[in-house]
């Protein structure tokens, strides 16, 4: 198993290298450079020109790439053009919001999907099972942004149960209970919407796993020992089926990151996904580059994590 | 009389031979009423959209700005679905937008699937180094946040149009098809009939595309149908964010994106809701057809 893990970690190094090279090439195609962000009507163009020469703007591409990646590794992604602040600071502000949204979404997703998957598998081919399968099919088939919009329309504007934008009510004092409550309240609808649409994988997996487990010898043994069905489910089947679900966490996180662009745009939630869309609109290239690099890194990390967990919990996948 | 006898003989023969692809699919759809309804409904809907878009609706007339008709409500003065901020007829925009979205999705599906299927078969047939080499590339790209990269590429290209958009999206869509086809081709290529063709001296190209390809057809129909649905979703999603079609060309996604204006979202439902519902209906229909096709391609899951 250690061999698998070490090998997967080693594979990630060239992957990261190629990713960074890809993003560097894309970034070079974008107009402007890190100092465009410093230009104000008062600055002397020659000062900027001097900075450019000093920073190596006219160096050969491999020198530039080396400098960029060395700085990026230390968390320095340059200046934002629009915010006139270091990119790392801007992303740091938004990252917290996205993290909160992701955590609550993943929590809701598992709270919803695990019971549904177990019920569908346990009462296989019943009306309940068919309804759950239909729900998971619908949530897979429809594009997320359409449903998010309909949710904002129905629950935000028509029923007015939830706020429709932002992270917190205006005029709240940070640190008070009502401030945290307001923050949580703003997260509820987007997180629940994401969870409602993201359950397909977990439900399908648990369902087929449990249907398979019913015919397994260990279940027959347990039954023949006189253990009631309820206990067989909670002690044996459920535990065996749940471990691989943990491995989905990595993929779920990756999916969430990609989906955060849509959910944060629709719910006007100031996280990293919305920052990305805004940066594209304002052509804030240093922020875009940093965000794509960060998302790519997290996606690779997520799939690595999933592979590692899978290789630990599922001996069938352990291939050396 | 003789003729009638011949027919019965033919009938008997067809009953005794195992059902072929089309028959299996037909049986599956006959068994599943919802799938049949989805199939007929999706096809009729798309044909109706195409006919209206090409024959009854005049795009320049629809896109003409008429500020006096601003936010006309549905049903007033002959506007079936009302008018938008600039007084343009929403029904006409809906049909043109749907036509654009469908045609773009078809184009992406064709390009991505031709590349994906060809590469998948080549990888599965040859195996070894070629397979390993492409699998590493595919694994890498599948992990990446492709939506973001597509958006970045779209913004770098100085002036892009429909063709560029199709090519950019297609460039990121062939990988999953290639991976799927490869896994099937890998086992299929070890079968006896392939070995037999090889000993007979048939060229690799002929074996791959005349021998292997038809035997994967049931899988490919499923893949193409589902990827078509996915591509409608990707194009509308990108256009919704403002990185798909240029604003002058309506798409279902751009119509939905009007809802990003809180006033339109909260009180002018006719501007964005019909396009949203049309996307929902199309996606559900096509995906349902895809699921039924998948069942008929897999003997274990068949209903009929």
């Amino acid at each position: 198993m250690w061999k698998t893990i070490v090998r997967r970690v080693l594979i990630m190094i060239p992957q990261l290298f190629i990713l960074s090279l890809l993003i560097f090439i894309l970034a070079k195609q974008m107009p402007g450079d890190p100092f465009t962000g410093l230009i104000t009507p008062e600055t002397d163009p020659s000062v900027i020109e001097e900075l450019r020469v000093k920073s190596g703007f006219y160096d050969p591409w491999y020198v530039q790439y080396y400098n960029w990646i060395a700085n990026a590794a230390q968390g320095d992604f340059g200046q934002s053009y629009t915010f006139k602040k270091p990119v790392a600071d801007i992303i740091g502000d938004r990252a917290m919001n996205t993290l909160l949204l992701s955590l609550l979404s993943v929590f809701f997703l598992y709270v919803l999907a695990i019971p549904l998957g177990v019920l569908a598998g346990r009462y296989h081919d019943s009306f309940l099972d068919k309804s759950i399968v239909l729900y998971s099919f619908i949530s897979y088939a429809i594009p997320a942004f359409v449903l998010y919009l309909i949710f904002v329309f129905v629950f935000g504007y028509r029923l007015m149960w939830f706020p429709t934008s932002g992270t917190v009510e205006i005029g709240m004092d940070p640190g008070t209970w009502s401030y945290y409550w307001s923050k949580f309240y703003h997260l509820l609808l987007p997180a629940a919407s994401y969870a409602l649409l993201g359950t397909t994988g977990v439900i399908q997996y648990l369902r087929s796993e449990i249907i398979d487990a019913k015919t397994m010898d260990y279940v027959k043994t347990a039954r023949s020992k006189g253990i009631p069905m309820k206990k067989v489910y909670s002690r044996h089947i459920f535990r065996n089926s749940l471990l691989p679900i943990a491995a989905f966490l990595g993929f779920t996180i990756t999916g969430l990151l990609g989906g955060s662009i849509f959910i944060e745009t629709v719910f006007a939630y100031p996280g990293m996904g919305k920052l990305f869309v805004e940066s594209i609109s304002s052509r804030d290239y240093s922020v875009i580059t940093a965000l794509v690099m960060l998302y790519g890194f997290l996606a690779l990390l997520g799939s690595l994590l999933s592979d590692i967990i899978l290789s630990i919990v599922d001996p069938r996948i352990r291939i050396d | 009389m003789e003729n009638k006898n011949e027919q019965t003989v033919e009938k008997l023969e067809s009953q005794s031979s195992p059902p072929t692809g089309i028959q299996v699919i037909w049986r599956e759809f006959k068994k599943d009423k919802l799938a049949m309804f989805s199939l007929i409904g999706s096809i009729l809907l798309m044909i109706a959209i195409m006919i209206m878009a090409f024959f009854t609706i005049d795009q320049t007339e629809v896109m003409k700005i008429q500020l006096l008709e601003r936010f006309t409500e549905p049903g007033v003065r002959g506007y079936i679905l009302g008018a938008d901020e600039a007084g343009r007829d929403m029904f006409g925009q809906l049909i043109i937008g749907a036509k654009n979205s469908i045609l773009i999705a078809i184009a992406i599906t064709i390009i991505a699937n031709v590349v994906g299927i060809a590469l998948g078969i080549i990888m599965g047939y040859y195996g070894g180094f070629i397979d390993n080499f492409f699998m590493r590339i595919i694994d890498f790209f599948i992990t990446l946040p492709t939506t973001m990269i597509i958006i970045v590429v779209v913004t770098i290209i100085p002036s892009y149009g429909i063709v560029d958009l199709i090519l950019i999206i297609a460039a990121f869509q062939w990988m999953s098809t290639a991976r799927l086809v490869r896994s099937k081709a890998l086992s299929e290529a070890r079968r006896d009939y392939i070995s037999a063709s090889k000993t007979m001296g048939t060229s690799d190209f002929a074996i791959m595309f005349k021998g292997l390809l038809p035997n994967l057809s049931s899988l490919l129909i499923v893949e193409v149908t589902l990827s078509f649905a996915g591509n409608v979703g990707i194009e509308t999603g990108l256009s919704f964010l403002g990185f798909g079609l240029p604003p002058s060309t309506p798409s279902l996604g751009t119509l939905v994106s009007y809802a990003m204006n809180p006033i339109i979202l909260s009180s002018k439902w006719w501007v964005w809701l019909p396009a949203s519902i049309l996307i929902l209906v199309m996606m559900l229909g096509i995906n349902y057809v895809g699921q039924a096709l998948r069942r008929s391609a897999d003997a274990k899951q068949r209903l009929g």
Side-chain angles (χ1 to χ4, degrees):
Chain A
M1 184 186 67
W2 280 106
K3 231 167 133 187
T4 321
I5 293 176
V6 169
R7 206 186 50 192
R8 279 295 281 115
V9 174
L10 287 180
I11 288 175
M12 209 177 136
I13 295 168
Q15 282 182 331
L16 266 177
F17 172 72
I18 296 168
L19 174 70
S20 65
L21 205 59
L22 196 74
I23 291 167
F24 180 75
I25 294 166
L26 287 178
K28 277 289 120 187
Q29 306 301 313
M30 301 168 183
D33 65 88
F35 302 104
T36 320
L38 297 175
I39 299 173
T40 55
E42 296 92 59
T43 41
D44 184 353
S46 65
V47 175
I48 298 290
E49 199 54 39
E50 208 173 289
L51 276 172
R52 273 190 188 137
V53 173
K54 226 192 224 167
S55 77
F57 185 68
Y58 303 107
D59 283 349
W61 70 269
Y62 48 87
V63 177
Q64 285 190 43
Y65 171 74
Y66 175 78
N67 290 332
W68 174 72
I69 201 73
N71 284 332
Q74 294 163 18
D76 177 13
F77 283 96
Q79 289 284 114
S80 154
Y81 303 0
T82 34
F83 296 96
K84 317 279 180 212
K85 278 203 301 190
V87 171
D89 291 0
I90 293 156
I91 293 178
D93 289 346
R94 305 289 194 102
M96 196 58 204
N97 288 336
T98 297
L99 186 69
L100 281 177
L101 178 62
S102 309
L103 287 178
L104 197 66
S105 303
V106 171
F107 174 73
F108 281 157
L109 193 154
Y110 281 88
V111 163
L112 187 69
I114 291 176
L116 288 180
V118 171
L119 284 174
R122 180 165 180 180
Y123 303 105
H124 178 213
D125 255 348
S126 66
F127 177 71
L128 182 69
D129 174 36
K130 282 180 183 145
S131 326
I132 293 172
V133 169
L134 182 70
Y135 153 69
S136 86
F137 163 72
I138 292 174
S139 68
Y140 164 78
I142 56 182
F145 69 98
V146 175
L147 205 79
Y148 295 159
L149 265 180
I150 292 175
F151 281 173
V152 175
F153 177 63
V154 173
F155 296 108
Y157 286 109
R158 283 288 127 118
L159 299 170
M160 293 201 271
W161 288 354
F162 293 100
T164 53
S165 68
T167 58
V168 70
E169 202 85 25
I170 299 160
M172 292 268 177
D173 282 330
T176 59
W177 271 116
S178 52
Y179 175 82
Y180 289 118
W181 168 249
S182 169
K183 256 200 139 129
F184 176 69
Y185 191 53
H186 277 75
L187 279 173
L188 265 182
L189 188 62
S193 313
Y194 175 79
L196 214 57
L197 280 184
T199 52
T200 318
V202 177
I203 289 181
Q204 296 289 354
Y205 190 87
L206 260 181
R207 179 176 175 274
S208 63
E209 197 76 356
I210 286 175
I211 292 170
D212 280 353
K214 279 180 182 169
T215 60
M216 293 280 178
D217 286 340
Y218 72 91
V219 173
K220 285 181 191 153
T221 316
R223 282 292 284 159
S224 62
K225 282 195 293 188
I227 298 172
M229 207 56 206
K230 215 172 149 191
K231 224 168 186 175
V232 176
Y233 271 106
S234 61
R235 280 277 169 81
H236 297 82
I237 296 182
F238 187 53
R239 202 175 289 176
N240 273 311
S241 312
L242 204 57
L243 277 172
I245 290 292
F248 273 127
L249 200 63
F251 295 121
T252 309
I253 292 169
T254 313
L256 198 61
L257 289 172
S260 77
I261 297 175
F262 288 102
I263 200 149
E264 288 176 4
T265 304
V266 174
F267 288 92
Y269 184 84
M272 278 157 53
K274 191 155 189 294
L275 178 66
F276 177 73
V277 175
E278 287 166 0
S279 309
I280 290 272
S281 309
S282 60
R283 301 286 189 270
D284 197 342
Y285 291 116
S286 43
V287 177
I288 299 169
T289 319
L291 276 175
V292 180
M293 190 68 209
L294 188 64
Y295 272 76
F297 174 67
L298 290 173
L300 288 176
L301 205 65
S303 90
L304 172 72
L305 213 66
S306 286
D307 284 356
I308 291 177
I309 299 174
L310 265 176
S311 75
I312 294 172
V313 299
D314 196 339
R316 284 171 298 184
I317 297 166
R318 252 178 257 161
I319 312 158
D320 290 278
Chain B
M1 206 55 187
E2 231 177 71
N3 199 13
K4 208 177 177 186
N5 272 337
E6 253 174 40
Q7 269 182 356
T8 21
V9 169
E10 238 178 61
K11 223 178 181 180
L12 281 173
E13 262 173 11
S14 75
Q15 271 171 352
S16 60
S17 62
T20 54
I22 300 289
Q23 282 170 315
V24 173
I25 291 172
W26 176 242
R27 269 207 325 231
E28 189 65 33
F29 276 95
K30 250 171 46 184
K31 202 81 185 171
D32 188 345
K33 292 281 172 295
L34 197 53
M36 183 69 105
F37 176 75
S38 304
L39 178 69
I40 296 170
S42 307
I43 292 174
L44 284 182
L45 184 67
M46 282 191 268
I47 291 175
I49 287 168
M50 291 301 149
I51 291 175
M52 279 195 275
F54 282 109
F55 298 110
T56 63
I57 286 168
D58 180 3
Q59 183 161 351
T60 46
E61 188 64 33
V62 169
M63 298 307 286
K64 210 187 273 167
I65 294 169
Q66 292 167 294
L67 285 176
L68 282 177
E69 307 289 337
R70 201 161 183 260
F71 289 131
T72 310
E73 290 196 17
V76 178
R77 288 190 295 281
Y79 285 88
I80 302 171
L81 283 172
D84 69 359
E85 213 170 359
R88 292 172 298 202
D89 177 28
M90 282 318 295
F91 182 74
Q93 284 195 68
L94 183 69
I95 298 299
I96 296 167
K99 178 206 77 178
N100 287 337
S101 288
I102 292 170
L103 290 182
I104 289 171
I106 290 176
I108 297 168
T109 310
I110 292 173
I111 297 174
N113 276 292
V114 165
V115 174
I117 290 168
L119 201 60
I121 287 182
I122 291 171
M123 285 161 71
Y125 179 76
Y126 288 110
F129 172 75
I130 294 177
D131 183 31
N132 263 324
F133 177 75
F134 283 109
M135 272 313 278
R136 291 293 85 75
I137 296 177
I138 289 171
D139 279 343
F140 174 65
F141 276 100
I142 278 182
T143 351
L144 290 187
T146 39
T147 320
M148 292 182 102
I149 295 178
I150 293 175
I151 292 174
V152 172
V153 176
V154 162
T155 40
I156 296 173
I157 291 182
S159 66
Y160 76 101
I162 294 182
V163 179
D164 305 270
L165 183 71
I166 291 169
L167 290 177
I168 293 168
I169 298 178
F172 288 91
Q173 297 306 315
W174 56 268
M175 295 117 179
S176 57
T177 312
R179 196 162 66 166
L180 185 82
V181 173
R182 171 240 178 210
S183 69
K184 289 285 168 187
L186 211 53
S187 62
E188 196 71 23
R190 306 292 171 269
R191 297 270 177 96
D192 285 343
Y193 73 94
I194 299 288
S195 316
S197 300
K198 275 186 199 164
T199 48
M200 279 162 64
T202 319
S203 72
D204 283 349
F205 185 84
I207 297 176
M208 278 189 277
F209 294 100
K210 286 184 187 152
L212 249 176
L213 188 63
N215 282 301
L216 299 173
S217 57
S218 56
L219 170 88
L220 301 180
I221 296 171
V222 180
E223 180 58 18
V224 169
T225 314
L226 290 179
S227 72
F228 171 64
N231 290 332
V232 174
I234 291 164
E235 184 274 314
T236 49
L238 283 176
S239 300
F240 167 73
L241 290 175
F243 307 119
L245 288 180
S248 53
T249 327
S251 122
L252 290 177
T254 41
L255 296 182
V256 177
S257 77
Y258 287 139
M260 290 317 290
N261 177 346
I263 298 162
I264 292 179
L265 178 60
S266 58
S267 56
K268 316 280 185 220
W269 59 267
W270 59 89
V271 176
W272 65 276
L273 197 58
S276 302
I277 292 172
L278 188 60
I279 296 177
L280 291 186
V281 169
M282 267 183 12
M283 294 298 267
L284 283 175
I286 302 164
N287 269 294
Y288 209 85
V289 171
Q291 294 295 329
L293 287 173
R294 174 174 285 168
R295 282 202 306 272
S296 49
D298 180 359
K300 273 182 289 182
Q301 295 182 32
R302 267 176 222 158
L303 303 172

